Amino acid sequence: MRKFFPILQTLRSYKRKELPKDILAGFNVAIVLIPQGMAYAMIAGLPPVYGLYASLMPVLVYVLFGTSRALAIGPVAMDSLLVAAGLGTLAIVGLENYIALAILLAFMVGVIQFVLGIFRMGYLVTFLAKPVISGFTSAAAVIIIFSQLKHLLGVEMAGSNQFHRIFLNALQKIPETNFYDLAIGLTGILLLIGLKKWSRHIPAILIIVVLGILAVYFLNMESLGIKIVGTIPKGIPGFILPVIEMDNIMQLWPIAVTLALIGYLEAISIGKGIEEKNDEDRIDANQELVALGSANMLGSFLQSYPVSASFSRSAINDESGSKSTLSGLFTVLLVLVTLMFLTPLFYYLPNAILASIIMVSVYGLIDLEYAKRLWIYRKDEFIVLILTFLITLFIGITQGILTGVLISLLLMVYRTSKPHFAVLSKIKDSDYYKNISRFGDEVILRDDLLIVRFDSQLYFGNSDYFKNQLFKYMSKKGDNLKGVILNAEAINYIDSTATRMLTKVIKKIRNDGIEFYIAGAIGPTRDIIFRSGISKVLPKEFLFVKIKEAVAHFDHTENRTGEHERVAYQRNEAGN
């Protein structure tokens, strides 16, 4: 039970002196979460109150199931944009149907994450390579920022998840700009940036929310056409089961899978990043899948849309001294108080203020430094990043992430199909064997012996490449070649296709009168050699732990063969 409900383990060792820090951390997170949640709900195309609904049950569930003391669960910009992108492609009539599908999407995301966690399949997120994530998140951040221009300009504007369409729509609406909305939004952006630079401990978001509400209320700015949040329903959301229909599930499953993996990747990356900074090791990757899945599933019953971990709120939670997941309990309490009693205070909150919060919050997702590093050191991965970025920006968010994953997998296959193939030779006055292309002046070159190293597993995708490279270097030695040694230290697997190829190659080489040896094969590779047909053409006396042992055996054999040939020649001469 303690493994499935980590909160039980936490409570066993919880100390009373830790409670004030958890209370403070929980309240600090809630102060940011309340306006941020409403803002992110707007990104998702939902009424602002759904951001508060998504800050209740999911946060509470994570308190019970989560393993990270610092992760702050709730609405996030990336997931909100993915919700808008996924639902925006469907022909949905009416806001009620849109909300119903957003809630169903949360349930589906939760089921996928929960099942992956139960079967311990957290490794699947490794297919989302860092260049793909960076390109995707940077493009998504640009789309989010420009999608808020309608609130900044105070105009009605058609929504889209394609950058060029949003940009063109904004250009067309510039003549209709409400300059009061624009002034409020720009002031909010400048205040957020300025206050954060002045001190990270200042609750900048809370300050601009309060100032925005006071300005609209006391200056009667509603009469100037300022767009405001308006009436927010008071009270706890009702218990409603998601409307599960097969047609809707078939339409939503691609975006649900994307959201499940992206949401988990966000959470685990943030959690591990904070732990590395604090030299901790608490987070359980598979239990986090269970926790996030449960949060999304159970949250959907109280009208939540998909949630994940927020980087900014998790940082606040950590800096405030959170000692356990119990800090989330106090976050929930403040959100609950807000829903029960304080929602009328947000009536006069300008949409432009929420837009400024979104713009400043997501700007940090644009990672230019990582792109610069890839351009300098890894241009192949830079291409993956830039293609993911452009496809996400101009074609679509789902297409961008799926194309990025496909390109990164193709790049991986290409690399493994033509891995590093090195010719080795002995360093002078040592027992070390190194790549002759790197240590050309320091190695002893031999015409009678070829030592090669293959830096990858041997499988159907690179077996022909291995064979061609081996024969190419053998042909360079010419008729002087008497032996070949394969350094197999880096070969951790040999599939059936490569086994058949290697068997044929060894048989051909030995039929040509050339000895073949394998050195340095690790346990799993040795098992394959003995279980497959390789051992039939290469007896175990030709397998060695180290290259120098194989070389010594070859030299001994050659010397003995040379002695036999000399004696035979002398006998032949004497007979003549």
Side-chain angles (χ1 to χ4, degrees):
M1 288 294 287
R2 285 199 300 271
K3 186 176 180 181
F4 198 69
F5 294 97
I7 187 64
L8 297 178
Q9 181 66 32
T10 299
L11 292 174
R12 287 188 73 193
S13 56
Y14 197 75
K15 297 178 178 61
R16 188 176 296 177
K17 65 181 181 181
E18 296 173 343
L19 185 60
K21 291 185 177 179
D22 276 339
I23 293 173
L24 178 63
F27 284 168
N28 284 344
V29 169
I31 287 169
V32 177
L33 173 59
I34 291 165
Q36 231 180 30
M38 291 193 291
Y40 292 158
M42 289 169 58
I43 295 178
L46 298 165
V49 72
Y50 283 86
L52 299 180
Y53 293 164
S55 307
L56 282 176
M57 182 59 79
V59 181
L60 186 59
V61 171
Y62 187 82
V63 170
L64 303 176
F65 292 95
T67 59
S68 171
R69 62 165 185 81
L71 276 190
I73 302 299
V76 293
M78 182 66 66
D79 288 26
S80 300
L81 182 64
L82 284 169
V83 169
L87 298 183
T89 59
L90 307 178
I92 303 172
V93 180
L95 182 60
E96 287 185 4
N97 292 327
Y98 186 94
I99 292 170
L101 287 179
I103 293 169
L104 174 61
L105 188 57
F107 179 77
M108 291 174 63
V109 168
V111 170
I112 293 167
Q113 290 174 331
F114 187 82
V115 170
L116 291 177
I118 291 296
F119 288 99
R120 308 186 69 78
M121 297 175 71
Y123 67 88
L124 286 176
V125 296
T126 56
F127 289 105
L128 297 170
K130 172 69 172 172
V132 175
I133 294 300
S134 180
F136 168 70
T137 53
S138 297
V142 172
I143 292 171
I144 291 170
I145 289 170
F146 277 82
S147 71
Q148 296 307 300
L149 285 178
K150 63 180 181 181
H151 300 301
L152 207 64
L153 300 176
V155 296
E156 295 294 331
M157 199 168 80
S160 176
N161 63 350
Q162 296 174 331
F163 169 76
H164 57 286
R165 293 185 183 277
I166 298 171
F167 184 72
L168 291 174
N169 290 341
L171 284 179
Q172 292 173 357
K173 293 291 183 177
I174 285 177
E176 302 175 22
T177 299
N178 184 320
F179 289 98
Y180 296 104
D181 273 309
L182 183 61
I184 288 175
L186 292 177
T187 303
I189 291 171
L190 293 173
L191 280 174
L192 279 174
I193 295 171
L195 291 171
K196 281 186 177 180
K197 284 188 176 180
W198 189 13
S199 174
R200 292 175 58 87
H201 300 290
I202 295 174
I205 291 178
L206 180 63
I207 288 172
I208 69 162
V209 166
V210 172
L211 289 176
I213 292 171
L214 293 176
V216 172
Y217 180 76
F218 286 107
L219 300 178
N220 194 26
M221 298 184 77
E222 189 180 1
S223 62
L224 301 174
I226 295 286
K227 301 291 189 303
I228 59 174
V229 169
T231 304
I232 298 177
K234 186 188 290 188
I236 303 171
F239 181 88
I240 299 175
L241 288 174
V243 180
I244 300 175
E245 294 179 358
M246 189 52 65
D247 289 344
N248 292 335
I249 290 173
M250 294 305 295
Q251 287 179 313
L252 294 176
W253 78 261
I255 193 68
V257 171
T258 304
L259 269 166
L261 294 179
I262 290 289
Y264 171 66
L265 185 66
E266 285 177 318
I268 205 71
S269 301
I270 295 167
K272 285 187 175 293
I274 292 174
E275 285 197 344
E276 285 175 14
K277 186 187 76 171
N278 297 319
D279 196 23
E280 297 175 354
D281 187 20
R282 298 184 185 183
I283 198 165
D284 181 330
N286 287 299
Q287 180 60 28
E288 285 300 300
L289 268 173
V290 172
L292 277 175
S294 302
N296 277 303
M297 267 197 302
L298 298 175
S300 69
F301 298 149
L302 289 181
Q303 304 182 48
S304 168
Y305 73 98
V307 298
S308 184
S310 162
F311 180 82
S312 59
R313 297 196 300 271
S314 297
I316 290 169
N317 204 21
D318 178 49
E319 290 169 6
S320 300
S322 169
K323 294 298 180 182
S324 69
T325 57
L326 284 175
S327 62
L329 183 62
F330 303 105
T331 299
V332 171
L333 288 174
L334 197 52
V335 174
L336 200 58
V337 169
T338 301
L339 276 169
M340 295 291 292
F341 307 109
L342 304 180
T343 53
L345 297 178
F346 293 99
Y347 179 89
Y348 292 101
L349 177 60
N351 286 343
I353 288 293
L354 292 178
S356 68
I357 293 170
I358 292 167
M359 287 177 161
V360 174
S361 297
V362 303
Y363 179 77
L365 295 174
I366 303 174
D367 195 351
L368 294 176
E369 286 303 316
Y370 181 67
K372 287 178 185 176
R373 287 201 305 274
L374 289 184
W375 172 252
I376 296 170
Y377 300 112
R378 298 302 302 265
K379 287 188 171 55
D380 54 349
E381 292 190 18
F382 175 80
I383 292 171
V384 174
L385 185 150
I386 205 69
L387 284 175
T388 305
F389 176 82
L390 293 174
I391 292 169
T392 303
L393 202 63
F394 294 107
I395 297 178
I397 288 172
T398 349
Q399 293 91 331
I401 190 80
L402 292 176
T403 305
V405 170
L406 179 61
I407 294 171
S408 62
L409 289 176
L410 289 174
L411 181 62
M412 181 190 71
V413 170
Y414 175 76
R415 285 175 182 157
T416 58
S417 69
K418 293 187 176 181
H420 186 240
F421 191 100
V423 177
L424 311 180
S425 199
K426 185 180 180 182
I427 299 286
K428 296 172 185 175
D429 302 322
S430 76
D431 288 330
Y432 295 108
Y433 288 81
K434 298 294 182 182
N435 189 341
I436 62 171
S437 64
R438 295 175 183 268
F439 299 85
D441 298 332
E442 303 174 43
V443 298
I444 302 170
L445 299 176
R446 296 177 58 167
D447 290 332
D448 62 335
L449 181 62
L450 174 67
I451 306 172
V452 297
R453 189 184 71 226
F454 192 68
D455 295 337
S456 173
Q457 61 174 321
L458 261 172
Y459 76 112
F460 65 90
N462 60 25
S463 59
D464 281 342
Y465 175 76
F466 171 85
K467 179 177 69 176
N468 294 335
Q469 289 292 102
L470 180 62
F471 285 144
K472 182 180 81 171
Y473 287 108
M474 286 177 64
S475 66
K476 288 182 179 180
K477 295 285 186 181
D479 295 334
N480 296 321
L481 183 65
K482 302 298 181 184
V484 175
I485 300 174
L486 171 61
N487 178 14
E489 290 175 356
I491 301 174
N492 56 17
Y493 180 72
I494 307 174
D495 77 352
S496 59
T497 303
T499 298
R500 188 178 179 192
M501 175 277 300
L502 197 56
T503 303
K504 288 182 177 180
V505 165
I506 294 171
K507 189 182 293 184
K508 181 182 185 309
I509 290 174
R510 300 193 73 191
N511 286 342
D512 291 341
I514 300 171
E515 294 296 343
F516 191 91
Y517 306 89
I518 294 179
I522 61 174
T525 307
R526 287 200 305 272
D527 292 342
I528 293 171
I529 289 171
F530 287 117
R531 287 201 309 264
S532 66
I534 296 174
S535 59
K536 294 178 181 177
V537 296
L538 191 72
K540 64 180 180 180
E541 55 264 29
F542 291 88
L543 301 176
F544 295 90
V545 176
K546 296 181 180 180
I547 296 176
K548 68 175 184 178
E549 295 172 355
V551 173
H553 185 275
F554 168 76
D555 288 339
H556 177 71
T557 304
E558 282 300 296
N559 290 336
R560 197 169 57 193
T561 303
E563 179 65 24
H564 288 324
E565 289 176 351
R566 187 178 63 79
V567 170
Y569 175 77
Q570 289 175 346
R571 286 175 179 172
N572 188 49
E573 287 295 308
N576 290 335

